[in-house]
Amino acid sequence: SALIHDPTKIAVSKNLNGWQIFCSCLSGSFINRVTKMAELDLDNIVVEASGLSIPMALQDIISAITSQETKHRVVYGGMACVVDAQRYLILSQSLMTITEQVVCSDWFIINKSDLVDDQLLQSTISHLTHNKPLTPIYTTSFGKVTPEIMSQFENQGELTPQIIKDSKPYRGWGSPGRPKSCIFIPQMPFEVPQIEEFFTSIAVDMLRVKGFLDFGEKTKALLVDIVGTQVKIGVVEKPHDVEMGVVCVYSASTDAVSLLKQRWTLLGNTPSICVEH
């Protein structure tokens, strides 16, 4: 997204669908879109990458954008790593790409700091400091970006992407391999409490769950949003041009398709569709 200081200007938002911008199959499209944004009168361009991104290719991508495509009209301002205070320590042990992101980042924003005690917060800070000493760390809640944090973006100037000389210790995705995903769609009719009980029961086995479900209302849909053990299910306006279905992301070592079907058979009493990506 383009970040603009002048309120009379219009922010620009573009999506690049797929796992993450750093993979070879998508980096070309990302470079082209940033190059086109450089033709607009923008102050900053803020890019939100996937939470599973592997940033080792960042140096080559930035070089292509700054030197080759935009002739330094666009410069690299740094990478912020948004840290989940509740789950960082657990995820960093099972997904090595989390540590790789930390080592490549220029500053950290620890979110959900209001949901953890001081001991867990300090352990998270210590872990970050151990992997990337002397890097600025900010804490926040509800994803709020304060003026203090924004000043870090605005005053950095041009930076060089942080590169790991020896990436072998991070082993990419870690021993289980790259996480997998599937789309789960329970067939109607079902009751909302059944959906709530079902997704609460499988939350611990998933890395991330999000999507929309039909539940018999013409203009309404169920929004399912799960991070760790935090399960949020609510009724929202049915989104336009969005296919119904819940995307579940999980460890490669998890047989999620069987798990979801079996659990829904026990709780849902209707058939279901579950297709792995």
Side-chain angles (χ1 to χ4, degrees):
S1 300
L3 178 64
I4 302 175
H5 296 161
D6 188 342
T8 64
K9 298 177 183 178
I10 300 175
V12 179
S13 179
K14 297 290 183 181
N15 293 325
L16 186 62
N17 295 322
W19 275 91
Q20 39 114 344
I21 63 173
F22 302 127
C23 70
S24 58
C25 58
L26 292 177
S27 60
S29 297
F30 172 66
I31 291 170
N32 290 337
R33 291 194 177 185
V34 173
T35 301
K36 290 181 179 179
M37 282 188 175
E39 299 173 359
L40 304 174
D41 185 18
L42 306 177
D43 294 319
N44 294 286
I45 298 174
V46 178
V47 178
E48 180 185 6
S50 162
L52 294 176
S53 292
I54 298 178
M56 289 303 297
L58 185 60
Q59 187 174 53
D60 292 336
I61 292 174
I62 294 302
S63 177
I65 292 173
T66 58
S67 302
Q68 301 171 29
E69 300 296 333
T70 68
K71 307 304 180 185
H72 292 280
R73 283 179 294 146
V74 173
V75 297
Y76 179 66
M79 183 167 73
C81 184
V82 181
V83 176
D84 184 329
Q86 287 185 302
R87 302 211 303 160
Y88 168 75
L89 292 177
I90 295 175
L91 289 177
S92 63
Q93 295 177 32
S94 57
L95 293 170
M96 296 308 298
T97 184
I98 301 298
T99 304
E100 186 173 315
Q101 291 174 9
V102 167
V103 175
C104 288
S105 293
D106 298 287
W107 62 94
F108 305 114
I109 302 173
I110 302 178
N111 192 31
K112 303 182 183 178
S113 60
D114 60 313
L115 299 179
V116 300
D117 57 30
D118 187 64
Q119 181 178 357
L120 180 55
L121 181 60
Q122 291 304 316
S123 295
T124 299
I125 292 174
S126 296
H127 195 275
L128 293 171
T129 302
H130 172 76
N131 285 286
K132 191 66 182 296
L134 306 178
T135 302
I137 299 176
Y138 302 92
T139 58
T140 190
S141 302
F142 302 100
K144 293 181 179 178
V145 180
T146 65
E148 180 186 13
I149 297 174
M150 280 304 303
S151 67
Q152 191 73 30
F153 285 86
E154 298 167 356
N155 300 327
Q156 281 282 10
E158 183 172 3
L159 297 178
T160 300
Q162 300 286 327
I163 297 300
I164 305 170
K165 294 182 179 180
D166 181 12
S167 61
K168 291 181 181 180
Y170 304 106
R171 301 191 306 278
W173 297 105
S175 56
R178 177 175 178 160
K180 296 181 178 180
S181 67
C182 66
I183 296 179
F184 178 78
I185 307 175
Q187 302 299 289
M188 294 185 290
F190 54 75
E191 300 294 331
V192 174
Q194 289 177 304
I195 290 291
E196 294 175 341
E197 183 179 3
F198 167 73
F199 280 110
T200 298
S201 73
I202 58 94
V204 69
D205 298 294
M206 301 292 139
L207 296 174
R208 185 75 165 94
V209 178
K210 190 171 184 179
F212 298 93
L213 292 176
D214 272 320
F215 68 112
E217 296 288 337
K218 186 176 181 180
T219 61
K220 303 291 184 179
L222 287 179
L223 171 61
V224 179
D225 190 356
I226 301 175
V227 179
T229 57
Q230 290 184 311
V231 180
K232 296 181 181 179
I233 298 176
V235 178
V236 298
E237 294 294 327
K238 186 173 291 186
H240 298 290
D241 302 323
V242 175
E243 295 184 8
M244 293 294 105
V246 177
V247 177
C248 304
V249 182
Y250 45 89
S251 169
S253 60
T254 301
D255 184 4
V257 173
S258 296
L259 171 67
L260 292 167
K261 287 184 175 181
Q262 291 171 3
R263 198 67 57 84
W264 181 250
T265 298
L266 291 174
L267 299 175
N269 299 321
T270 68
S272 64
I273 298 172
C274 191
V275 181
E276 193 167 71
H277 283 180

